[in-house]
Amino acid sequence: MPFDFLKRSKPDQPAAADTGPSPSGSATHAGASRGVGFTALTEDWRLHGRMQISGRLSDALNRREAIAISDVTWGGPGSDVMEPAPGLKSVDPYDLILVTAGEDSLPPLTESERAAIRVHKVPYDLALEVPPFRVVGTVFLHPGSDPDGLLARATEMFLPVVDAAAHLDAVEVSEPDVDVILVNRFYLRGVSQVDRRTGQPHAKMPGGPWTE
């Protein structure tokens, strides 16, 4: 196993203004460390395992610090064949392009907290180009925000995309029952509004706003 396979140069960070906090809310609900199942994709690899985190998975990734991992298997990004990788003990969030998150990535929330997560946000059905992957799903933005602003530098590195699917060429590489895909904005190279039924972009009127 090439233990330095993740130690590559980091992508260039976009240089622009911050677009504000992520739609998943501001409370971290930090508590005792626990093992959370994850699937992560790099340009060359798919990793399955458990991350040892407290609070939300997105918060742990956005701290941009190495995260302890265990029970790891790996394989090609579009492969169903996975092999044990006992030598992988931690991962650097910078190296991950996509991370899928399930229900266990969130600590228990009250009903009022769940309702507040998406309050005052506008849903956009978007296609996000994060080479070599394409992610289609819904992103919640503040009113008046332009989806193109997602290409700007942000305080939070990972953008949550809900009801999402990720593809590598024509192959879907996200699990069918995935709840959220966390997209590393440092790898984001294109954003377009799409029809969720087809995954194809809407036409954008010259000089006009994003179409519905």
Side-chain angles (χ1 to χ4, degrees), residues 47-126:
L47 304 175
H48 289 295
R50 303 189 72 78
M51 288 185 178
Q52 299 300 316
I53 64 170
S54 60
R56 300 180 307 182
L57 176 58
S58 59
D59 291 327
L61 292 167
N62 282 323
R63 282 193 283 272
R64 311 182 189 190
E65 300 172 352
I67 299 173
I69 56 178
S70 60
D71 305 322
V72 182
T73 58
W74 71 344
S79 174
D80 293 328
V81 179
M82 305 291 287
E83 298 180 357
L88 293 179
K89 302 298 185 182
S90 67
V91 66
D92 185 339
Y94 282 96
D95 292 315
L96 307 179
I97 301 177
L98 307 177
V99 181
T100 61
E103 284 293 331
D104 64 347
S105 71
L106 290 171
L109 300 177
T110 67
E111 288 303 317
S112 60
E113 286 172 330
R114 289 183 182 277
I117 284 177
R118 296 177 182 174
V119 69
H120 303 315
K121 296 291 180 67
V122 178
Y124 287 87
D125 292 336
L126 302 176

